[in-house]
Amino acid sequence: MNESPRTDRRAPANAALRVAAPVLALLALLALATLVPPDLAGAALRIESTDRTRANGMDAAFDRLSDRALVLVAFDADLGTYAETRPVVRAAIADLRARGARLAIVSFTAEGRALAVAELSRLQRLGAEDDEIADLGFAGAAEAGLVGAIPNIVPRGAEGSIVEAIRSRGSDLDAFALVLVVSGGDLSVRSWVEQVLPRVPDLPIAAIAPTFLEPELAPYLRTGQLRALLATVPEGLAYVDGIAEADHGRAAAVGALPMLVGLLVALGVMAQSLLAPLVRRSRPDRWRRVG
Amino acid sequence: MRRSLTAGLALATGAILLLDLLIINPSLELLAGGVVELLILLAAAAAVGGAATLAAHHLPGLASGGHDRWDAVMLLGGMGLILMAGLRPGSNGSSDPAVNWLISALLVPIASSLFALVFLFLLGAVRRGLSIGTREATITVVAASVMVILLLPLGGAAGAALATTASWVRDVPLAAVFRGLLIGIAILVSVSAARILLGVGSTDD
């Protein structure tokens, strides 16, 4: 009994669909979970953020700033980990703006610059004015660029009231009341502690970093080289919860449901993959032949 | 001879930067600043060289019209677009609004989408790794499963207990292993740097 040519043509498409179906279903499930408002899950689902120690540390670092203080945001996040730190970064920028700080954004890595441009564009859409945020652009060459920027952080041709305020204070890193380092894998806040602090010892540094950098950065917090550090999702969430009102709810909310769905799917796949060989081994031969 | 020149350069550069950190002297500061400027120029030259090599690698594919042609078109087209936006007359360079638009509207969303797929690729890698049946893959996946359970975003007493255990795992065993690795890497780098500077070891490098 021969199959028709039409059936033959459909076979590869059906096979591809069978392979893609679980992935598409997972993506649809995650998209649906993302659309559910975070409040709907209630108290049963939440990312635990009971320890506010580090969030309080960030609050204290910001509390020390005077009105219209100059704050440098060193934006060197990377694309691989920025999804984790993005809500905290947005909340911190909103918090600083609400406190009346004047922000200057600079990047020393290419990925950091790309993400900084996207965030600057978002802030402009939200109505940020030129006297609130200045773009100091991209100073390449990573650590060498960082060291090179210590005596002069302002690029040639830069304009604006914030740029003029930095120039009037000498154009160097001493002009800033605080540096907020948005850290990534390529250039972490460790470079700031190693390269900048020996040259500018009185510069207060606060940092937001992805979880994988926490074991490396925690000692700097204990020694006081960092004024504040937020380096895990619960720490970041504790901080975001605390300042949610400052941004009028515009800071990205961290929903527990998409995370729960993703983790349960991952757990299911890992359990199935771990148990499958055991199940196959325990089957009698006749079952193995059939299955 | 070549190695002694490299070692000499590294030693001199390192000494200048170190002395600049230790001693406040305007002449030394000027010299160290010059060295840093040279390093920045070298990094820029390396980046330009890398981009040129990439373009040179893909240009033949574009000309030959093989099955890689569309990859080459996309890559070279993207490079050309960014270069044109940044280098056209009257442009502000890397801060030009056209460059910023290309980055925020195209580059970042596309790259973020690719990174979002890492979740799926990881799950695929778990399945393939376990199907091979190595002990290392099994241990890795079991450890990952335990961490996933600890990170489940649950509320109440159960959630608090999971979060406390996750914090302990991160702060004690994980931190110990990580810092041990860092100390080991630092010692190895110091030893290997000293070997290069002192000219100790085999001559085949």
Side-chain angles (χ1 to χ4, degrees):
Chain A
M1 206 164 74
N2 292 331
E3 289 184 3
S4 68
R6 186 178 291 179
T7 315
D8 286 346
R9 277 198 300 273
R10 278 183 189 165
N14 288 342
L17 196 63
R18 269 199 299 277
V19 172
V23 175
L24 293 174
L26 173 59
L27 290 176
L29 194 65
L30 285 171
L32 280 175
T34 311
L35 292 175
V36 175
D39 298 340
L40 207 67
L45 285 185
R46 65 191 304 270
I47 304 163
E48 278 300 321
S49 54
T50 48
D51 186 2
R52 278 198 52 85
T53 313
R54 290 206 178 162
N56 290 340
M58 190 62 85
D59 282 336
F62 289 177
D63 284 342
R64 288 196 195 104
L65 297 172
S66 60
D67 190 34
R68 310 283 292 156
L70 283 171
V71 176
L72 180 68
V73 181
F75 212 107
D76 286 306
D78 56 58
L79 287 158
T81 58
Y82 189 56
E84 183 190 331
T85 53
R86 184 173 49 214
V88 193
V89 173
R90 289 181 175 177
I93 289 175
D95 192 12
L96 286 166
R97 283 180 66 201
R99 290 166 187 263
R102 289 177 291 175
L103 307 181
I105 298 186
V106 69
S107 297
F108 298 97
T109 60
E111 277 187 45
R113 175 61 185 166
L115 290 165
V117 164
E119 285 301 327
L120 278 166
S121 160
R122 172 186 164 272
L123 287 166
Q124 277 162 2
R125 284 199 304 276
L126 290 174
E129 301 288 339
D130 286 348
D131 60 349
E132 288 179 283
I133 297 177
D135 180 14
L136 297 185
F138 172 53
E143 279 201 6
L146 177 61
V147 174
I150 293 171
N152 185 11
I153 187 99
V154 181
R156 254 176 297 178
E159 294 171 352
S161 62
I162 296 178
V163 169
E164 289 311 317
I166 301 166
R167 282 203 181 109
S168 70
R169 287 168 171 78
S171 296
D172 57 7
L173 286 184
D174 264 332
F176 296 96
L178 177 77
V179 177
L180 176 65
V181 182
V182 179
S183 192
D186 297 338
L187 184 80
S188 93
V189 70
R190 191 177 75 169
S191 301
W192 278 83
V193 173
E194 287 177 352
Q195 302 294 338
V196 177
L197 274 189
R199 294 170 168 94
V200 195
D202 296 328
L203 185 70
I205 299 177
I208 297 170
T211 307
F212 82 93
L213 286 173
E214 205 275 345
E216 182 182 320
L217 301 181
Y220 294 132
L221 187 66
R222 281 199 282 274
T223 55
Q225 288 161 298
L226 286 181
R227 288 283 170 91
L229 171 68
L230 297 173
T232 65
V233 174
E235 285 167 16
L237 191 66
Y239 173 74
V240 173
D241 283 347
I243 60 106
E245 286 178 14
D247 193 35
H248 309 294
R250 284 180 298 204
V254 183
L257 193 58
M259 190 179 279
L260 182 72
V261 170
L263 289 176
L264 286 179
V265 168
L267 205 56
V269 170
M270 286 193 277
Q272 191 270 336
S273 307
L274 278 167
L275 296 176
L278 299 177
V279 171
R280 271 200 302 273
R281 240 174 271 160
S282 66
R283 280 178 184 171
D285 276 353
R286 64 175 186 279
W287 283 95
R288 211 176 291 172
R289 278 199 298 275
V290 174
Chain B
M1 181 61 191
R2 261 191 313 173
R3 195 169 64 175
S4 61
L5 182 68
T6 314
L9 274 173
L11 199 62
T13 312
I16 289 167
L17 293 176
L18 192 64
L19 284 173
D20 178 48
L21 268 181
L22 299 173
I23 303 166
I24 298 172
N25 180 294
S27 309
L28 202 56
E29 192 181 333
L30 207 64
L31 190 62
V35 169
V36 171
E37 289 285 331
L38 268 176
L39 283 174
I40 294 170
L41 280 175
L42 268 176
V48 171
T53 310
L54 193 66
H57 178 77
H58 283 276
L59 271 172
L62 191 65
S64 67
H67 65 277
D68 289 339
R69 186 174 59 174
W70 291 111
D71 297 348
V73 167
M74 292 297 286
L75 182 96
L76 296 171
M79 283 172 82
L81 208 59
I82 291 277
L83 284 174
M84 209 191 320
L87 297 176
R88 73 190 153 80
S91 166
N92 289 336
S94 65
S95 297
D96 191 76
V99 176
N100 288 354
W101 183 84
L102 284 170
I103 290 171
S104 59
L106 291 178
L107 182 71
V108 171
I110 291 170
S112 300
S113 309
L114 286 176
F115 273 101
L117 292 174
V118 168
F119 174 65
L120 298 172
F121 294 148
L122 265 178
L123 291 182
V126 164
R127 288 180 69 87
R128 277 192 294 277
L130 287 174
S131 68
I132 296 166
T134 60
R135 188 181 299 167
E136 291 83 357
T138 308
I139 292 170
T140 307
V141 174
V142 168
S145 306
V146 171
M147 277 315 291
V148 167
I149 291 168
L150 292 177
L151 292 173
L152 286 174
L154 301 176
L162 287 177
T164 308
T165 315
S167 296
W168 179 84
V169 169
R170 194 193 65 227
D171 293 343
V172 182
L174 197 63
V177 171
F178 193 83
R179 286 177 199 153
L181 280 173
L182 280 180
I183 292 167
I185 290 167
I187 292 169
L188 274 176
V189 169
S190 307
V191 168
S192 109
R195 285 168 66 95
I196 291 169
L197 290 175
L198 299 171
V200 179
S202 63
T203 52
D204 57 357
D205 51 349

